[in-house]
């Protein structure tokens, strides 16, 4: 009996070594942890249950049968994050560069299927060289099995991809099908074709970082939803994120104990909006002051910074926040901001996370660059996303809500449940200058008349009261009471239920 137990111990120890000490040291020398070290940090201590540790590939091409490493380049299993089940797979770069073989794909498929059955999130940690070259079409088919499962799981369980090393070829498309992608700065990159191929095909000389580093994907391409300094920081942030997310699309948001009084008054909010309507202020200050303990997990922080998206909690329950940011481009809606917010709104709606929208928007960004770039379709994405929401929607207009952007930013008319405005709100088709120059064009040469018309327009239209008089907003609230009012509204809407007409699926303006 002892022999059998020893044999198991030896086989396990051998499997845990992956590609061997030399490659583990090389991994460490590059500032990266190994697949197993990453899983240890991601999950609660001692909670990891590994599957398929002894799986080996079956390839015989190019001498592949002479090198078989147990686990075959991916560590898979499940564990807990603060007591809640999550499934995980981590590419092991020390084994064939983490490349995907037929059996490697089957290991991931098994985890994907179990995660859907158990209705728990799945997290993929990537550090890999794409399709296992020696396996040819078997590897390509393996990717397709992974992709299809990604799509079937979309909207059922949260899927998170964390890029922690190279990520090329097939390894970029599975992440792209998941809900969130996060990257590690300086040590990770993702691209469909690497710098060498780029040089051959287009003659363009570019480094891996310039082509697909975190600096590109978290700020320019919007492929990544965030980037962190190193492996440890990234994995700790993933634990934080999991705490905000529902396990699936039916369980509802997790509820954590909170010591932050929901009746808390925040007097400083009464002076957040400057007297001068053209002066910016930081909308994140409002978010941080209304949520529990100021704990905010921002999504896509460095992309389209004119809109802020992220998760916070009110009364211990997760809320998705969407807020125009007056500090960047005056909070205008452009194509990027519309896409960013639309994707976030759709995630929240899919997983029953209520959405609070803070509005201070001067409109859509004019100009050829925007129009040629498809602003109409991108703006429509956000309009579509909010209009199809069945989750509780609470909107607070803090200052400007001009033109089409008023409609788009979770107006009552497209489906929001509760719409509040601060006394500083200005709800109008456009700002005073533009409006007066159009409706009083004949007076343009007369400065006094124009000034008088402007004052008249401002006092009548640039306030929340016309909208309040007509019921387009439900109440004008004191800024200091915003947290309390939000908490009450969200509490009242907790069991909101609306039906949408039966259909196969919608046709989002892509
Ligand atoms: C088999 C691979 C491999 C692969 C790396 N290795 N990629 N083995 N198939 N795709 C092995 C190497 O032979 C090496 O083995 C070890 O992994 C580490 O690789 P290195 O090249 O030494 O490491 P590094 O210099 O850090 O470069 C990492 C890398 C590079 C950038 C990922 O290996 C690389 O470019 N690999 C190929 C990437 C690629 O083009 N993949 C196919 C994409 S096509 P030893 O034994 O020396 O440790 C694809 C199609 C799917 O994925 C499409 C679906 C839509």
């Amino acid at each position: 009996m002892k022999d059998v137990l020893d044999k198991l111990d030896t086989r396990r120890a051998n499997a845990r070594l992956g590609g061997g000490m030399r490659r583990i040291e090389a991994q460490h020398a590059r500032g990266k942890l190994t697949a197993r070290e990453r899983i240890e940090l991601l999950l609660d201590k001692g909670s990891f249950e590994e599957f398929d540790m002894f799986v080996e590939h079956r390839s015989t091409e190019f001498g592949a049968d002479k090198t078989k490493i147990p686990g075959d380049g991916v560590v898979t299993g499940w564990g807990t994050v603060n007591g809640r089940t999550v499934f995980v797979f981590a590419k092991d770069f020390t084994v064939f560069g983490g490349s995907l073989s037929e059996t490697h794909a089957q290991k991931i498929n098994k985890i994907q299927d179990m995660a859907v059955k158990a209705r728990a999130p799945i997290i993929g940690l990537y550090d890999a060289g794409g399709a296992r070259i020696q396996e040819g079409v078997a590897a390509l088919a393996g990717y397709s099995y992974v992709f299809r499962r990604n799509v079937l799981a979309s909207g059922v369980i949260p899927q998170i991809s964390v890029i922690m090393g190279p990520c090329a070829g097939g390894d970029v498309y599975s992440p792209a099908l998941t809900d969130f992608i996060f990257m590690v700065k300086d040590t990770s990159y993702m691209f469909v074709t690497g710098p060498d191929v780029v040089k051959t095909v287009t003659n363009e000389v570019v480094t891996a970082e310039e082509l697909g580093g975190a600096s590109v994907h978290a700020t320019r391409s919007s492929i990544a939803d965030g980037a962190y300094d190193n492996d440890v920081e990234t994995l700790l942030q993933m634990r934080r994120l999991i705490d905000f997310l529902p396990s699936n699309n039916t369980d509802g948001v997790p509820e954590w104990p909170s010591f932050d009084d929901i009746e808390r008054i925040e007097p400083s909010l009464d002076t957040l909006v400057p007297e001068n309507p053209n002066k910016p202020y930081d909308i994140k200050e409002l978010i941080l002051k209304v949520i529990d303990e100021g704990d905010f997990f921002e999504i896509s922080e460095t992309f389209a910074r004119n809109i802020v998206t992220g998760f916070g909690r009110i009364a211990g329950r997760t809320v998705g926040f969407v807020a125009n940011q007056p500090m960047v481009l005056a909070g205008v809606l452009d194509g990027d901001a519309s896409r960013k917010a639309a994707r976030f709104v759709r995630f929240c709606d899919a997983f029953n996370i209520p959405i609070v929208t803070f509005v201070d928007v001067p409109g859509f960004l004019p100009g050829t660059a925007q129009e040629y770039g498809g602003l109409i379709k991108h703006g429509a994405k956000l309009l579509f996303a909010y209009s199809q929401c069945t989750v509780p929607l609470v909107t607070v207009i803090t200052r400007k809500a001009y033109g089409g952007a008023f409609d788009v930013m979770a107006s009552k008319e497209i489906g929001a449940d509760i719409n509040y405005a601060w006394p500083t709100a200005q709800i109008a088709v456009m700002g005073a200058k533009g409006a007066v120059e159009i409706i009083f064009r004949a007076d343009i040469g007369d400065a006094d008349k124009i000034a008088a018309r402007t004052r008249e327009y401002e006092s009548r239209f640039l306030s929340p009261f016309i909208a309040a008089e007509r019921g387009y907003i439900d109440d004008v609230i004191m800024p200091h009471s915003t947290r309390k009012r939000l908490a009450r509204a969200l509490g009242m809407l907790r069991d909101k239920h609306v039906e949408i007409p039966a259909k196969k699926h919608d046709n989002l303006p892509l």
Side-chain angles (χ1 to χ4, degrees):
M1 182 64 181
K2 173 91 171 54
D3 280 0
V4 189
L5 300 185
D6 286 347
K7 201 168 161 197
L8 173 61
D9 264 348
T10 311
R11 286 194 69 157
R12 279 191 169 163
N14 184 34
R16 286 199 188 99
L17 268 182
M21 276 318 290
R22 185 179 58 80
R23 292 194 184 90
I24 290 176
E25 278 159 19
Q27 181 84 348
H28 287 161
R30 289 176 171 184
K32 300 193 293 180
L33 298 173
T34 65
R36 283 195 170 74
E37 287 164 345
R38 287 169 174 163
I39 290 175
E40 285 280 298
L41 273 171
L42 176 67
L43 300 178
D44 296 339
K45 204 169 165 41
S47 73
F48 183 49
E49 299 271 351
E50 185 168 346
F51 294 133
D52 295 337
M53 183 186 230
F54 307 114
V55 162
E56 292 176 352
H57 72 74
R58 293 187 283 266
S59 173
T60 53
E61 303 286 348
F62 295 100
D65 48 339
K66 295 193 183 59
T67 325
K68 293 196 174 201
I69 300 179
D72 202 29
V74 61
V75 181
T76 60
W78 68 276
T80 56
V81 171
N82 286 320
R84 298 168 67 225
T85 301
V86 297
F87 287 79
V88 60
F89 63 90
K91 304 270 183 166
D92 185 348
F93 190 76
T94 69
V95 179
F96 312 116
S99 57
L100 181 136
S101 67
E102 183 185 17
T103 45
H104 175 127
Q106 285 165 352
K107 284 184 66 173
I108 297 174
N109 291 163
K110 188 192 264 188
I111 290 295
Q112 291 179 296
D113 292 342
M114 281 199 198
V116 170
K117 242 192 286 182
R119 302 264 156 171
I122 184 165
I123 304 175
L125 309 181
Y126 286 82
D127 188 355
R132 178 97 40 95
I133 295 163
Q134 297 89 327
E135 297 231 356
V137 67
L140 301 182
Y143 273 121
S144 298
Y145 288 125
V146 174
F147 299 156
R148 176 141 170 90
R149 281 170 171 78
N150 282 135
V151 175
L152 294 177
S154 183
V156 181
I157 51 168
Q159 302 180 84
I160 300 169
S161 305
V162 192
I163 315 301
M164 312 189 79
C167 199
D171 280 313
V172 298
Y173 278 111
S174 176
L177 297 170
T178 63
D179 296 303
F180 299 108
I181 298 180
F182 296 93
M183 296 181 75
V184 183
K185 289 181 191 165
D186 303 324
T187 50
S188 77
Y189 45 88
M190 51 191 311
F191 32 65
V192 177
T193 48
D196 295 345
V197 179
V198 170
K199 168 114 187 18
T200 311
V201 177
T202 69
N203 239 345
E204 191 185 359
V205 178
V206 67
T207 64
E209 180 63 32
E210 287 164 350
L211 190 60
S215 54
V216 172
H217 288 316
T219 56
R220 294 181 67 175
S221 74
S222 81
I223 302 297
D225 298 288
Y228 304 102
D229 284 343
N230 51 50
D231 281 20
V232 177
E233 162 76 1
T234 306
L235 295 164
L236 295 180
Q237 290 294 342
M238 294 306 98
R239 287 178 61 85
R240 263 190 82 214
L241 175 60
I242 287 289
D243 283 351
F244 281 101
L245 301 184
S247 292
N248 57 58
N249 62 339
T250 53
D251 271 10
V253 296
E255 196 160 341
W256 296 99
S258 167
F259 302 101
D260 201 344
D261 185 2
I262 56 164
E263 300 277 318
R264 175 165 54 78
I265 293 296
E266 200 51 69
S268 63
L269 291 179
D270 289 344
T271 51
L272 179 66
V273 174
E275 297 273 330
N276 177 349
N278 297 321
K279 238 179 124 182
Y281 63 96
D282 188 358
I283 202 73
K284 283 193 208 172
E285 193 178 327
L286 171 57
I287 298 174
L288 293 176
K289 283 182 172 163
V290 298
I291 57 178
D292 293 353
E293 286 114 18
D295 188 10
F296 185 53
F297 191 99
E298 192 163 349
I299 298 290
S300 294
E301 183 177 359
T302 50
F303 175 75
R305 292 185 307 112
N306 39 330
I307 203 152
V308 177
T309 54
F311 301 109
R313 292 185 194 89
I314 291 183
R317 295 167 60 81
T318 305
V319 176
F321 285 87
V322 179
N324 308 114
Q325 173 56 287
M327 300 280 281
V328 181
L329 296 171
V332 76
L333 274 179
D334 57 4
D336 286 348
S338 303
R339 280 196 300 119
K340 167 176 161 178
R343 183 152 169 84
F344 182 76
V345 166
R346 281 169 68 81
F347 176 83
C348 290
D349 189 52
F351 289 99
N352 293 315
I353 300 172
I355 301 168
V356 167
T357 304
F358 290 136
V359 183
D360 187 348
V361 59
F364 280 99
L365 185 61
T368 50
Q370 285 295 314
E371 298 290 356
Y372 295 174
L375 177 65
I376 296 170
K377 218 162 218 183
H378 297 315
K381 290 184 175 108
L382 185 54
L383 190 49
F384 202 106
Y386 270 126
S387 299
Q388 73 176 173
C389 277
T390 58
V391 287
L393 296 179
V394 183
T395 304
V396 181
I397 301 172
T398 59
R399 189 167 61 177
K400 296 169 192 164
Y402 291 169
F406 160 81
D407 294 315
V408 171
M409 290 300 296
S411 62
K412 196 170 227 22
E413 298 64 46
I414 64 163
D417 301 293
I418 305 278
N419 293 64
Y420 290 137
W422 283 5
T424 43
Q426 308 172 355
I427 304 168
V429 173
M430 60 178 76
K433 185 169 183 300
V436 169
E437 282 175 5
I438 293 170
I439 55 182
F440 300 112
R441 185 163 284 157
D443 297 337
I444 276 179
D446 186 334
D448 290 343
K449 261 193 180 163
I450 286 289
R453 298 290 197 194
T454 303
R455 277 195 301 278
E456 190 188 338
Y457 183 90
E458 282 172 351
S459 68
R460 183 67 189 129
F461 275 0
L462 299 191
S463 90
F465 292 105
I466 293 185
E469 284 160 17
R470 297 182 184 190
Y472 293 122
I473 58 168
D474 299 297
D475 198 5
V476 181
I477 64 169
M478 288 292 187
H480 64 246
S481 67
T482 306
R483 172 175 162 85
K484 186 169 95 175
R485 303 297 293 262
L486 289 176
R488 284 190 171 181
L490 293 168
M492 180 271 284
L493 291 164
R494 194 164 159 165
D495 295 322
K496 173 183 172 183
H497 181 79
V498 289
E499 299 283 342
I500 45 174
K503 56 178 102 172
K504 188 172 176 204
H505 59 72
D506 55 52
N507 191 9
L508 178 77
L510 293 172

